[in-house]
């Protein structure tokens, strides 16, 4: 099994994906263990002094003015975890919780949190045992970290609350730890706070969304090319010299992908056969510009994620010179903004795909295709209601594009009076990514059927490879009306599993 070694300098996106989705094992480097011990020594020294230090010998948030005596500090750390584990709503997905735990471990291992090495090792042991704390949808405002989600994870480390075992069953966390030979941790000064105070949930969801969208933007280039072909459009607008004079990198990459898909097609270039059409509609002609802008948004979001993956987010933090300082690095604004930005780009990509699908189904705009791509229009409805489904998805995506980070709601008796709502931005982005996949699946379904209805003209070899592969995957072609939901589900699985891009790349080579 693949192993990810966590050091003091952060982790990579591929590390997060390996642990969250691939079940990779986690190990602590010797460097990390040494840094943990050194930082803990600083915290222990401060804890022994009579002067109050926030997070070490005081309360938290609006209660930070109270000095806590030594005999109550262990209780303080237990209490912060128990009281902050106040999430509600549906359970969060296993991959999100694993990413959350792993990224908190990443920060702990930086040597800036003051957590003991044995606590960090227990975090790794829980991940390696396949134990997943039960975390709920609601409870994070994206400031002071993803407090409730992280608290539910810390509760599991203490042997309390509920968790899911590797077999998928939910049990008391203490029983699961015991079954895997893991001793619950007894938290000491600052450790409870350090386990709760990070942007790890929203960052984990950003990393996974970036991986999913990287594949979906390639898929969108393919479905756009298939629609252009089915509409007898021109590929001249994809010429590299046209995109070189507006040198946005994403735009050039999308145009190149579409051109690669369409190479050798007999269907393109017939846009002038049925005058007065001299150029294609925007949804066809401007596909690289829209998808390209989204690709460049992904690049910016990836840069933010890389910076965050190299960060140590906690409050207070232990500095190399021995100071323990309060700070505001836990604020989720940098991550929240790009999560919202991606949701906007996703909604627009889905919107332009839906417009192409609608054009394929409209006999007045499809340039010779039957109404709704039906076998016997009137008796058959064809893909009429598939487009309704696509339209409903796009409408939902537009609502999901409303930025969560534009909102703030005060908490903690006005001490935490401006929050990022980054967790909410991440949750809605996950829904948006799912819906984009479905929208592209419907465009794929319509475009492949439309190409098959263009008799006498051969599609591009890459397009034919897609048609062959999607039919082999259980997505049926043209014909009389039938129960459509299974076809759409198969098309969704085809896009979601990467088979669409793989079919093209076998013929056209790697897409950008």
């Amino acid at each position: 099994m693949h192993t990810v070694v966590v050091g003091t300098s952060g982790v990579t996106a591929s590390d997060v994906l390996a642990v969250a989705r691939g079940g990779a094992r986690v190990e602590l480097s010797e460097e990390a263990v040494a840094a943990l011990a050194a930082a803990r020594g600083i915290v222990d020294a401060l804890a022994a002094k009579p002067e109050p230090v926030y997070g070490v010998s005081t309360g938290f948030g609006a209660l930070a003015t109270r000095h806590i005596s030594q005999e109550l500090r262990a209780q303080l750390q237990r209490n912060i975890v128990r009281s902050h584990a106040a999430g509600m709503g549906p359970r969060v997905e296993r991959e999100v919780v694993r990413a959350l735990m792993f990224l908190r471990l990443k920060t702990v291992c930086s040597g800036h949190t003051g957590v003991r090495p044995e606590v960090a090792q227990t975090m790794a042991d829980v991940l390696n045992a396949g134990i997943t704390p039960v975390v709920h949808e609601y409870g994070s405002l994206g400031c002071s970290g993803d407090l409730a989600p992280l608290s539910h994870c810390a509760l599991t480390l203490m042997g309390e609350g509920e968790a899911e075992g590797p077999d998928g069953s939910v049990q008391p966390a203490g029983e699961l730890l015991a079954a895997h030979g893991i001793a619950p941790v007894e938290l000491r000064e600052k450790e409870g706070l350090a386990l709760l105070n990070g942007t790890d949930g929203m960052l984990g969801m950003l990393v996974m969304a970036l991986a999913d969208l990287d594949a979906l933007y390639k898929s969108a280039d393919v479905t756009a090319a298939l629609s252009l072909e089915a509409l007898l459009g021109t590929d001249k607008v994809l010429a590299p010299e046209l995109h070189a004079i507006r040198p946005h990198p994403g735009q050039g990459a999308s145009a190149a992908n579409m051109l690669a898909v369409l190479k050798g097609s007999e269907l393109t270039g017939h846009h002038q056969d049925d005058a007065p059409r001299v150029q294609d509609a925007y949804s066809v002609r401007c596909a690289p510009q829209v998808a390209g802008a989204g690709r460049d948004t992904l690049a910016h979001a990836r840069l933010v994620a890389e910076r965050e993956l190299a960060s140590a987010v906690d409050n207070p933090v232990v500095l190399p010179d021995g100071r323990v300082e309060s700070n505001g690095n836990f604020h989720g604004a940098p991550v929240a903004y790009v999560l919202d930005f991606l949701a906007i780009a996703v909604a627009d990509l889905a919107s332009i795909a839906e417009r192409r699908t609608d054009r394929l189904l409209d006999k007045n705009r499809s340039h010779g295709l039957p109404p709704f791509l039906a076998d016997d229009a009137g008796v058959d409805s064809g893909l009429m209601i598939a487009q309704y489904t696509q339209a409903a998805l796009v409408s939902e995506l537009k609502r999901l594009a409303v930025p969560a980070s534009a909102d703030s709601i005060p908490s903690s008796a006005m001490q935490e009076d401006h929050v990022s709502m980054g967790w909410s931005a991440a949750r809605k982005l996950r829904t948006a990514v799912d819906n984009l996949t479905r929208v592209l699946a419907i465009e794929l379904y319509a475009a492949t059927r439309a190409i098959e209805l263009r008799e006498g003209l051969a599609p591009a070899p890459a397009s034919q490879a897609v048609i062959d592969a999607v039919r082999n995957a259980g997505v049926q072609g043209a014909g009389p009306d039938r129960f459509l939901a299974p076809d759409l589900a198969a098309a969704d699985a085809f896009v979601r599993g990467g088979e669409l891009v793989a079919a093209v790349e076998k013929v056209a080579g790697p897409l950008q």
Side-chain angles (χ1 to χ4, degrees):
M1 181 181 290
H2 178 59
T3 299
V4 173
V5 178
V6 184
T8 60
S9 57
V11 297
T12 66
S14 60
D15 291 336
V16 177
L17 295 170
V19 174
R21 291 179 166 173
R25 289 187 57 79
V26 178
E27 292 182 3
L28 311 185
S29 71
E30 293 182 4
E31 174 193 33
V33 173
L36 284 159
R40 185 65 208 179
I42 294 171
V43 170
D44 285 342
L46 288 171
K49 294 182 177 181
E51 298 84 8
V53 178
Y54 176 68
V56 176
S57 53
T58 70
F60 310 111
L63 303 176
T65 55
R66 178 178 172 182
H67 183 258
I68 308 298
S69 60
Q70 286 192 352
E71 62 271 17
L72 293 177
R73 289 177 190 170
Q75 180 181 340
L76 170 70
Q77 299 303 317
R78 288 194 301 271
N79 285 352
I80 189 176
V81 173
R82 289 168 176 164
S83 66
H84 285 43
M88 292 184 74
R91 283 180 57 193
V92 172
E93 303 86 356
R94 183 176 185 271
E95 66 177 14
V96 172
V97 179
R98 286 184 63 82
L100 176 76
M101 294 175 65
F102 175 67
L103 287 168
R104 195 70 219 142
L105 177 61
K106 174 268 298 182
T107 284
V108 164
C109 287
S110 70
H112 290 293
T113 67
V115 169
R116 288 169 295 152
E118 50 264 45
V119 175
Q121 184 59 56
T122 301
M123 296 171 75
D125 292 342
V126 169
L127 282 166
N128 293 338
I131 297 171
T132 307
V134 171
V135 173
H136 298 280
E137 182 87 19
Y138 302 105
S140 172
L141 299 179
C143 203
S144 291
D146 291 316
L147 287 174
L150 282 163
S151 298
H152 283 275
C153 293
L155 199 66
T156 294
L157 297 177
M158 292 166 49
E160 300 181 19
E162 290 186 323
E164 179 184 297
D167 62 353
S169 64
V170 175
Q171 303 174 46
E175 295 178 9
L176 276 171
L177 294 184
H180 289 84
I182 301 172
V185 298
E186 296 184 10
L187 299 176
R188 291 170 45 179
E189 292 93 343
K190 194 183 178 305
E191 290 181 332
L193 185 61
L195 294 176
L196 316 186
N197 219 338
T199 55
D200 309 292
M202 63 184 92
L203 176 58
M205 286 186 275
L206 173 60
V207 169
M208 289 185 283
L210 286 169
D212 294 339
L213 288 172
D214 184 61
L216 285 174
Y217 268 82
K218 293 177 184 177
S219 297
D221 292 338
V222 175
T223 60
L226 293 172
S227 290
L228 182 153
E229 198 171 17
L231 290 166
L232 304 178
T234 178
D235 59 358
K236 289 183 178 180
V237 297
L238 306 173
E241 56 269 25
L242 293 175
H243 298 278
I245 61 176
R246 196 188 190 196
H248 293 286
Q251 178 179 321
S254 285
N257 285 346
M258 290 181 66
L259 208 54
V261 174
L262 294 170
K263 184 178 181 181
S265 175
E266 294 179 4
L267 289 164
T268 58
H270 295 276
H271 59 294
Q272 293 177 325
D273 292 354
D274 52 348
R277 182 168 59 139
V278 294
Q279 55 187 4
D280 295 316
Y282 284 12
S283 60
V284 177
R285 187 171 15 129
C286 301
Q289 284 76 10
V290 172
R295 283 170 168 268
D296 291 342
T297 302
L298 285 176
H300 171 62
R302 194 171 290 111
L303 175 62
V304 172
E306 288 169 355
R307 289 170 177 165
E308 198 77 0
L309 287 167
S311 300
V313 177
D314 193 17
N315 179 48
V317 292
V318 181
L319 297 174
D321 61 8
R323 288 180 294 146
V324 176
E325 297 284 3
S326 293
N327 66 91
N329 283 343
F330 50 74
H331 199 287
V335 183
Y337 291 168
V338 294
L339 288 163
D340 280 332
F341 200 174
L342 289 175
I344 293 169
V346 164
D348 201 35
L349 186 65
S351 179
I352 197 171
E354 184 275 330
R355 288 293 80 204
R356 289 190 296 263
T357 304
D358 183 66
R359 185 166 289 271
L360 288 167
L361 305 189
D362 184 352
K363 70 180 182 64
N364 296 313
R365 295 180 292 142
S366 65
H367 311 292
L369 292 169
F372 303 106
L373 306 181
D375 186 61
D376 183 4
V379 175
D380 295 310
S381 294
L383 306 191
M384 180 190 294
I385 307 305
Q387 186 270 331
Y388 278 41
T389 299
Q390 196 183 41
L393 290 163
V394 171
S395 185
E396 172 76 2
L397 282 164
K398 292 173 183 177
R399 293 190 291 274
L400 293 168
V402 176
S405 57
D407 184 30
S408 178
I409 188 164
S411 58
S412 192
M414 293 298 287
Q415 175 71 8
E416 298 169 10
D417 59 352
H418 182 82
V419 298
S420 78
M421 302 307 297
W423 172 273
S424 299
R427 295 305 298 165
K428 69 186 182 65
L429 179 60
R430 284 181 68 83
T431 303
V433 170
D434 272 347
N435 283 356
L436 174 62
T437 309
R438 298 179 180 111
V439 168
L440 295 178
I442 293 171
E443 183 181 19
L444 169 69
Y445 188 45
T448 53
R449 177 184 283 206
I451 289 173
E452 288 180 316
L453 292 171
R454 296 290 191 189
E455 296 178 358
L457 294 170
S463 301
Q464 188 60 58
V466 168
I467 293 169
D468 293 342
V470 79
R471 297 291 172 258
N472 288 334
V475 181
Q476 298 183 55
D481 281 357
R482 57 181 172 270
F483 180 25
L484 211 54
D487 274 2
L488 298 180
D492 175 64
F494 187 77
V495 174
R496 196 176 297 272
E499 294 174 72
L500 172 59
V501 173
V504 169
E505 291 186 331
K506 286 179 181 178
V507 175
L511 298 180
Q512 297 184 39

